[in-house]
Amino acid sequence: MAYSLYSAIPKKPLNSIFISSPNFIFSTVNKHIPCVTPSIFPCLGGYCTWVSAVSSSVAETEEHLNRHASPGIVAKEYADLNLPERFSEDVGNLRIRQHVNPLRRGLMIPAEAPNWKEVFEDATLPLMVDIGSGSGRFLMWLAKRNSSSMNYLGLEIRPKLVTRAEYWINDLGLKNAHFISTNAMVSFQRLVSTYPGPLMLVSILCPDPHFKKKHHKRRVLQKPLVDSIVNNLAHGGQVFIQSDVLDVALDMRNYFDAVPDKLVHIDSVDPSLPCDGDGWVLNNPMGIRTEREIHAEYEGCKIYRRVYKKVQH
Ligand SMILES: C[S@@+](CC[C@H](N)C(=O)[O-])C[C@H]1O[C@@H](n2cnc3c(N)ncnc32)[C@H](O)[C@@H]1O
């Protein structure tokens, strides 16, 4: 099936771990301890190279990650896309915050659903929605691979990333990818419920961790979004979640594990996606890693993944 997750890609050996990252120590001591570091490394924020909430341009943020984490490997992973180095100058120059507070009043207004026939060449195709799509490269890579069989929608709260993603998809001539700048917490239901085709895959990949307990309510996955995903997903549709922060991954997992009458975990129906002893899917099932995933694995962090399938009992 065109919308099925891809078979697992082989994991590369971690032969070039970024030693200067303090997370390396944690991840070698116990694979199940997330790469959390005390904030004595101000430029490293919480863990791996999560950048703390500093103001920086998109370009500066990416440069920071490249300098401190994984030079060139994102470009290498997405080399197939052959994206132009240049992009809208607006994106490069405007300053954004690394972490956005999605509960800010101005971000609580749901996005209007677009005319789907205008944004996709064939608006009846199965849909994948990536919540918190970041730069959008991950979704573009998939859209290019499956240009006639699936549509891809990225929901991203930071408008400048969406501006650049739209610039790139025009440049690539992709007719099956679209990005909307919105708070997915408040817009997901309205957007997906108006889409004419079946919703076959929803991904939430390395969402912003919002470490402090009092900020957990800012995490993108909350009960209303879980309900909306589960209710709108077509039968046989899948949910793919992952994080390099165990606490965040567990938070998301608990929500989806709590609806066993509607969702089963993939290892019970598809032996090609094996799990470790704690039920985390061992390998990336998409054939391409997200940018956050690339950086985290480069630093030796474990990625905690779950893949669910909607079933009819
Ligand atoms: C850590 S990045 C991960 C990006 C990408 N998924 C990856 O794995 O590389 C999380 C992304 O989610 C976006 N985001 C955070 N809260 C959001 C929300 N409520 N709605 C939509 N996007 C959100 C952030 O702006 C950021 O681009």
Side-chain angles (χ1 to χ4, degrees):
M1 284 180 293
Y3 48 78
S4 290
L5 297 175
Y6 288 98
S7 56
I9 52 170
K11 232 176 152 138
K12 290 176 200 143
L14 286 165
N15 54 3
S16 55
I17 289 169
F18 185 68
I19 302 290
S20 63
S21 165
N23 310 293
F24 175 65
I25 300 159
F26 286 83
S27 56
T28 51
V29 170
N30 183 341
K31 285 280 176 200
H32 295 277
I33 295 176
C35 300
V36 175
T37 56
S39 51
I40 51 170
F41 300 94
C43 74
L44 292 178
Y47 58 100
C48 288
T49 47
W50 275 99
V51 187
S52 57
V54 292
S55 287
S56 59
S57 71
V58 175
E60 283 167 348
T61 301
E62 289 184 346
E63 192 192 311
H64 177 102
L65 286 171
N66 284 340
R67 221 167 344 110
H68 290 281
S70 22
I73 60 171
V74 169
K76 208 165 157 193
E77 188 111 353
Y78 291 102
D80 279 5
L81 284 179
N82 202 16
L83 289 172
E85 282 298 318
R86 69 185 192 287
F87 51 82
S88 156
E89 283 183 3
D90 283 359
V91 181
N93 293 336
L94 281 173
R95 296 175 81 77
I96 59 158
R97 286 184 77 79
Q98 176 71 9
H99 280 180
V100 173
N101 173 7
L103 304 180
R104 249 184 22 222
R105 201 141 40 122
L107 293 171
M108 294 304 283
I109 302 154
E112 288 295 327
N115 180 344
W116 296 108
K117 289 182 185 155
E118 282 174 10
V119 300
F120 294 126
E121 190 166 64
D122 178 357
T124 64
L125 289 178
L127 180 70
M128 171 177 176
V129 180
D130 187 31
I131 294 176
S133 49
S135 76
R137 288 180 181 93
F138 167 76
L139 222 50
M140 283 175 231
W141 190 94
L142 293 170
K144 196 174 170 194
R145 281 280 178 302
N146 304 296
S147 58
S148 57
S149 55
M150 187 129 181
N151 287 333
Y152 295 86
L153 175 66
L155 304 181
E156 170 52 53
I157 206 163
R158 290 186 285 173
K160 297 304 153 194
L161 293 180
V162 170
T163 305
R164 185 178 63 175
E166 285 290 318
Y167 177 86
W168 276 337
I169 58 171
N170 286 336
D171 196 85
L172 293 169
L174 292 171
K175 307 276 187 237
N176 62 331
H178 184 63
F179 292 87
I180 297 179
S181 170
T182 189
N183 180 355
M185 291 164 113
V186 296
S187 297
F188 182 87
Q189 171 63 29
R190 183 187 281 191
L191 292 172
V192 300
S193 62
T194 59
Y195 180 73
L199 177 65
M200 293 312 300
L201 182 53
V202 177
S203 55
I204 308 175
L205 306 176
C206 306
D208 288 343
H210 296 292
F211 289 109
K212 290 181 186 164
K213 198 166 173 52
K214 68 175 181 183
H215 290 162
H216 284 186
K217 55 184 182 291
R218 297 182 183 179
R219 289 180 177 173
V220 67
L221 192 68
Q222 305 290 337
K223 182 77 168 63
L225 181 55
V226 174
D227 291 344
S228 184
I229 292 170
V230 172
N231 292 336
N232 284 286
L233 205 61
H235 288 290
Q238 297 181 3
V239 180
F240 174 28
I241 52 170
Q242 73 178 22
S243 177
D244 52 311
V245 183
L246 180 57
D247 173 58
V248 171
L250 280 172
D251 199 20
M252 295 196 287
R253 175 178 178 165
N254 288 340
Y255 277 124
F256 289 113
D257 280 359
V259 278
D261 52 323
K262 296 197 174 136
L263 297 179
V264 292
H265 193 253
I266 201 72
D267 59 334
S268 66
V269 286
D270 182 356
S272 73
L273 285 179
C275 294
D276 67 12
D278 295 321
W280 301 108
V281 174
L282 283 170
N283 298 309
N284 176 315
M286 301 300 295
I288 184 77
R289 295 179 295 171
T290 72
E291 289 181 42
R292 177 68 221 160
E293 184 179 356
I294 294 167
H295 290 299
E297 289 200 326
Y298 186 83
E299 292 186 19
C301 293
K302 179 183 167 83
I303 305 291
Y304 302 92
R305 306 183 181 90
R306 295 282 284 175
V307 179
Y308 298 86
K309 186 170 185 175
K310 186 162 174 180
V311 288
Q312 211 162 12
H313 282 295

PDB file of all heavy atoms in Angstrom, residues 264-284:
ATOM      1  N   VAL A 264      -3.985  -0.493  17.587  1.00  0.00           N
ATOM      2  CA  VAL A 264      -3.094  -1.559  18.075  1.00  0.00           C
ATOM      3  C   VAL A 264      -1.666  -1.137  17.754  1.00  0.00           C
ATOM      4  O   VAL A 264      -1.434  -0.372  16.810  1.00  0.00           O
ATOM      5  CB  VAL A 264      -3.374  -2.920  17.392  1.00  0.00           C
ATOM      6  CG1 VAL A 264      -4.729  -3.452  17.804  1.00  0.00           C
ATOM      7  CG2 VAL A 264      -3.249  -2.833  15.873  1.00  0.00           C
ATOM      8  N   HIS A 265      -0.732  -1.623  18.568  1.00  0.00           N
ATOM      9  CA  HIS A 265       0.646  -1.287  18.235  1.00  0.00           C
ATOM     10  C   HIS A 265       1.122  -2.200  17.114  1.00  0.00           C
ATOM     11  O   HIS A 265       0.730  -3.360  17.012  1.00  0.00           O
ATOM     12  CB  HIS A 265       1.584  -1.373  19.456  1.00  0.00           C
ATOM     13  CG  HIS A 265       2.896  -0.720  19.159  1.00  0.00           C
ATOM     14  ND1 HIS A 265       4.055  -1.428  18.955  1.00  0.00           N
ATOM     15  CD2 HIS A 265       3.209   0.589  18.953  1.00  0.00           C
ATOM     16  CE1 HIS A 265       5.030  -0.574  18.661  1.00  0.00           C
ATOM     17  NE2 HIS A 265       4.546   0.654  18.645  1.00  0.00           N
ATOM     18  N   ILE A 266       1.973  -1.644  16.261  1.00  0.00           N
ATOM     19  CA  ILE A 266       2.299  -2.284  14.986  1.00  0.00           C
ATOM     20  C   ILE A 266       2.938  -3.663  15.136  1.00  0.00           C
ATOM     21  O   ILE A 266       2.715  -4.541  14.294  1.00  0.00           O
ATOM     22  CB  ILE A 266       3.203  -1.338  14.142  1.00  0.00           C
ATOM     23  CG1 ILE A 266       3.154  -1.697  12.664  1.00  0.00           C
ATOM     24  CG2 ILE A 266       4.602  -1.265  14.689  1.00  0.00           C
ATOM     25  CD1 ILE A 266       1.882  -1.350  11.974  1.00  0.00           C
ATOM     26  N   ASP A 267       3.711  -3.864  16.195  1.00  0.00           N
ATOM     27  CA  ASP A 267       4.409  -5.151  16.298  1.00  0.00           C
ATOM     28  C   ASP A 267       3.442  -6.319  16.462  1.00  0.00           C
ATOM     29  O   ASP A 267       3.799  -7.465  16.199  1.00  0.00           O
ATOM     30  CB  ASP A 267       5.465  -5.144  17.412  1.00  0.00           C
ATOM     31  CG  ASP A 267       4.880  -4.847  18.767  1.00  0.00           C
ATOM     32  OD1 ASP A 267       3.821  -4.183  18.842  1.00  0.00           O
ATOM     33  OD2 ASP A 267       5.482  -5.281  19.759  1.00  0.00           O
ATOM     34  N   SER A 268       2.197  -6.020  16.852  1.00  0.00           N
ATOM     35  CA  SER A 268       1.235  -7.116  17.001  1.00  0.00           C
ATOM     36  C   SER A 268       0.601  -7.494  15.658  1.00  0.00           C
ATOM     37  O   SER A 268      -0.037  -8.526  15.551  1.00  0.00           O
ATOM     38  CB  SER A 268       0.144  -6.748  18.017  1.00  0.00           C
ATOM     39  OG  SER A 268      -0.627  -5.678  17.510  1.00  0.00           O
ATOM     40  N   VAL A 269       0.773  -6.645  14.647  1.00  0.00           N
ATOM     41  CA  VAL A 269       0.186  -6.967  13.339  1.00  0.00           C
ATOM     42  C   VAL A 269       1.212  -7.013  12.209  1.00  0.00           C
ATOM     43  O   VAL A 269       0.929  -7.486  11.116  1.00  0.00           O
ATOM     44  CB  VAL A 269      -0.932  -5.942  12.959  1.00  0.00           C
ATOM     45  CG1 VAL A 269      -2.180  -6.171  13.775  1.00  0.00           C
ATOM     46  CG2 VAL A 269      -0.453  -4.497  13.071  1.00  0.00           C
ATOM     47  N   ASP A 270       2.407  -6.494  12.466  1.00  0.00           N
ATOM     48  CA  ASP A 270       3.408  -6.444  11.402  1.00  0.00           C
ATOM     49  C   ASP A 270       4.787  -6.787  11.966  1.00  0.00           C
ATOM     50  O   ASP A 270       5.479  -5.935  12.527  1.00  0.00           O
ATOM     51  CB  ASP A 270       3.416  -5.033  10.782  1.00  0.00           C
ATOM     52  CG  ASP A 270       4.411  -4.919   9.635  1.00  0.00           C
ATOM     53  OD1 ASP A 270       5.144  -5.904   9.369  1.00  0.00           O
ATOM     54  OD2 ASP A 270       4.470  -3.844   9.008  1.00  0.00           O
ATOM     55  N   PRO A 271       5.197  -8.044  11.815  1.00  0.00           N
ATOM     56  CA  PRO A 271       6.479  -8.473  12.407  1.00  0.00           C
ATOM     57  C   PRO A 271       7.702  -7.818  11.764  1.00  0.00           C
ATOM     58  O   PRO A 271       8.816  -7.931  12.295  1.00  0.00           O
ATOM     59  CB  PRO A 271       6.489  -9.992  12.163  1.00  0.00           C
ATOM     60  CG  PRO A 271       5.408 -10.264  11.180  1.00  0.00           C
ATOM     61  CD  PRO A 271       4.477  -9.100  11.122  1.00  0.00           C
ATOM     62  N   SER A 272       7.498  -7.092  10.653  1.00  0.00           N
ATOM     63  CA  SER A 272       8.660  -6.458  10.024  1.00  0.00           C
ATOM     64  C   SER A 272       9.116  -5.212  10.801  1.00  0.00           C
ATOM     65  O   SER A 272      10.122  -4.599  10.462  1.00  0.00           O
ATOM     66  CB  SER A 272       8.361  -6.088   8.565  1.00  0.00           C
ATOM     67  OG  SER A 272       7.491  -4.984   8.519  1.00  0.00           O
ATOM     68  N   LEU A 273       8.342  -4.806  11.801  1.00  0.00           N
ATOM     69  CA  LEU A 273       8.748  -3.649  12.613  1.00  0.00           C
ATOM     70  C   LEU A 273       8.972  -4.093  14.061  1.00  0.00           C
ATOM     71  O   LEU A 273       8.138  -3.857  14.935  1.00  0.00           O
ATOM     72  CB  LEU A 273       7.678  -2.558  12.554  1.00  0.00           C
ATOM     73  CG  LEU A 273       7.595  -1.733  11.274  1.00  0.00           C
ATOM     74  CD1 LEU A 273       6.469  -0.722  11.353  1.00  0.00           C
ATOM     75  CD2 LEU A 273       8.912  -1.018  10.994  1.00  0.00           C
ATOM     76  N   PRO A 274      10.100  -4.754  14.335  1.00  0.00           N
ATOM     77  CA  PRO A 274      10.336  -5.277  15.685  1.00  0.00           C
ATOM     78  C   PRO A 274      10.593  -4.174  16.705  1.00  0.00           C
ATOM     79  O   PRO A 274      11.027  -3.071  16.361  1.00  0.00           O
ATOM     80  CB  PRO A 274      11.583  -6.150  15.501  1.00  0.00           C
ATOM     81  CG  PRO A 274      12.277  -5.591  14.317  1.00  0.00           C
ATOM     82  CD  PRO A 274      11.222  -4.999  13.421  1.00  0.00           C
ATOM     83  N   CYS A 275      10.308  -4.516  17.964  1.00  0.00           N
ATOM     84  CA  CYS A 275      10.504  -3.575  19.075  1.00  0.00           C
ATOM     85  C   CYS A 275      11.589  -4.087  20.017  1.00  0.00           C
ATOM     86  O   CYS A 275      11.895  -5.279  20.021  1.00  0.00           O
ATOM     87  CB  CYS A 275       9.218  -3.452  19.877  1.00  0.00           C
ATOM     88  SG  CYS A 275       7.882  -2.697  18.981  1.00  0.00           S
ATOM     89  N   ASP A 276      12.101  -3.191  20.836  1.00  0.00           N
ATOM     90  CA  ASP A 276      13.000  -3.635  21.899  1.00  0.00           C
ATOM     91  C   ASP A 276      12.142  -4.169  23.051  1.00  0.00           C
ATOM     92  O   ASP A 276      10.904  -4.198  22.959  1.00  0.00           O
ATOM     93  CB  ASP A 276      13.942  -2.497  22.339  1.00  0.00           C
ATOM     94  CG  ASP A 276      13.212  -1.350  23.032  1.00  0.00           C
ATOM     95  OD1 ASP A 276      12.019  -1.506  23.386  1.00  0.00           O
ATOM     96  OD2 ASP A 276      13.835  -0.294  23.236  1.00  0.00           O
ATOM     97  N   GLY A 277      12.785  -4.560  24.132  1.00  0.00           N
ATOM     98  CA  GLY A 277      12.073  -5.169  25.247  1.00  0.00           C
ATOM     99  C   GLY A 277      11.061  -4.238  25.900  1.00  0.00           C
ATOM    100  O   GLY A 277      10.155  -4.683  26.597  1.00  0.00           O
ATOM    101  N   ASP A 278      11.197  -2.942  25.689  1.00  0.00           N
ATOM    102  CA  ASP A 278      10.268  -1.988  26.290  1.00  0.00           C
ATOM    103  C   ASP A 278       9.176  -1.540  25.324  1.00  0.00           C
ATOM    104  O   ASP A 278       8.422  -0.606  25.616  1.00  0.00           O
ATOM    105  CB  ASP A 278      11.036  -0.748  26.788  1.00  0.00           C
ATOM    106  CG  ASP A 278      11.981  -1.113  27.923  1.00  0.00           C
ATOM    107  OD1 ASP A 278      11.591  -1.940  28.771  1.00  0.00           O
ATOM    108  OD2 ASP A 278      13.120  -0.590  27.938  1.00  0.00           O
ATOM    109  N   GLY A 279       9.138  -2.177  24.160  1.00  0.00           N
ATOM    110  CA  GLY A 279       8.054  -1.858  23.222  1.00  0.00           C
ATOM    111  C   GLY A 279       8.335  -0.680  22.309  1.00  0.00           C
ATOM    112  O   GLY A 279       7.418  -0.161  21.672  1.00  0.00           O
ATOM    113  N   TRP A 280       9.583  -0.243  22.222  1.00  0.00           N
ATOM    114  CA  TRP A 280       9.919   0.855  21.304  1.00  0.00           C
ATOM    115  C   TRP A 280      10.366   0.270  19.966  1.00  0.00           C
ATOM    116  O   TRP A 280      11.191  -0.659  19.937  1.00  0.00           O
ATOM    117  CB  TRP A 280      11.056   1.732  21.873  1.00  0.00           C
ATOM    118  CG  TRP A 280      10.733   2.348  23.200  1.00  0.00           C
ATOM    119  CD1 TRP A 280      11.262   2.000  24.412  1.00  0.00           C
ATOM    120  CD2 TRP A 280       9.785   3.392  23.467  1.00  0.00           C
ATOM    121  NE1 TRP A 280      10.717   2.770  25.409  1.00  0.00           N
ATOM    122  CE2 TRP A 280       9.809   3.634  24.868  1.00  0.00           C
ATOM    123  CE3 TRP A 280       8.925   4.155  22.672  1.00  0.00           C
ATOM    124  CZ2 TRP A 280       8.997   4.597  25.472  1.00  0.00           C
ATOM    125  CZ3 TRP A 280       8.116   5.111  23.280  1.00  0.00           C
ATOM    126  CH2 TRP A 280       8.166   5.326  24.662  1.00  0.00           C
ATOM    127  N   VAL A 281       9.827   0.789  18.895  1.00  0.00           N
ATOM    128  CA  VAL A 281      10.177   0.304  17.555  1.00  0.00           C
ATOM    129  C   VAL A 281      11.658   0.577  17.309  1.00  0.00           C
ATOM    130  O   VAL A 281      12.142   1.703  17.498  1.00  0.00           O
ATOM    131  CB  VAL A 281       9.301   0.996  16.479  1.00  0.00           C
ATOM    132  CG1 VAL A 281       9.760   0.616  15.081  1.00  0.00           C
ATOM    133  CG2 VAL A 281       7.834   0.636  16.680  1.00  0.00           C
ATOM    134  N   LEU A 282      12.368  -0.474  16.905  1.00  0.00           N
ATOM    135  CA  LEU A 282      13.830  -0.384  16.845  1.00  0.00           C
ATOM    136  C   LEU A 282      14.349   0.526  15.731  1.00  0.00           C
ATOM    137  O   LEU A 282      15.312   1.258  15.921  1.00  0.00           O
ATOM    138  CB  LEU A 282      14.414  -1.782  16.669  1.00  0.00           C
ATOM    139  CG  LEU A 282      14.434  -2.625  17.947  1.00  0.00           C
ATOM    140  CD1 LEU A 282      14.786  -4.067  17.630  1.00  0.00           C
ATOM    141  CD2 LEU A 282      15.434  -2.036  18.942  1.00  0.00           C
ATOM    142  N   ASN A 283      13.720   0.454  14.567  1.00  0.00           N
ATOM    143  CA  ASN A 283      14.289   1.181  13.427  1.00  0.00           C
ATOM    144  C   ASN A 283      13.306   2.197  12.859  1.00  0.00           C
ATOM    145  O   ASN A 283      12.084   2.018  12.950  1.00  0.00           O
ATOM    146  CB  ASN A 283      14.666   0.194  12.317  1.00  0.00           C
ATOM    147  CG  ASN A 283      15.727  -0.777  12.785  1.00  0.00           C
ATOM    148  OD1 ASN A 283      16.759  -0.373  13.316  1.00  0.00           O
ATOM    149  ND2 ASN A 283      15.453  -2.064  12.635  1.00  0.00           N
ATOM    150  N   ASN A 284      13.865   3.194  12.247  1.00  0.00           N
ATOM    151  CA  ASN A 284      13.045   4.189  11.559  1.00  0.00           C
ATOM    152  C   ASN A 284      12.253   3.489  10.449  1.00  0.00           C
ATOM    153  O   ASN A 284      12.834   2.843   9.584  1.00  0.00           O
ATOM    154  CB  ASN A 284      13.972   5.262  10.971  1.00  0.00           C
ATOM    155  CG  ASN A 284      13.228   6.288  10.141  1.00  0.00           C
ATOM    156  OD1 ASN A 284      12.383   5.952   9.323  1.00  0.00           O
ATOM    157  ND2 ASN A 284      13.552   7.545  10.339  1.00  0.00           N
TER     158      ASN A 284
END
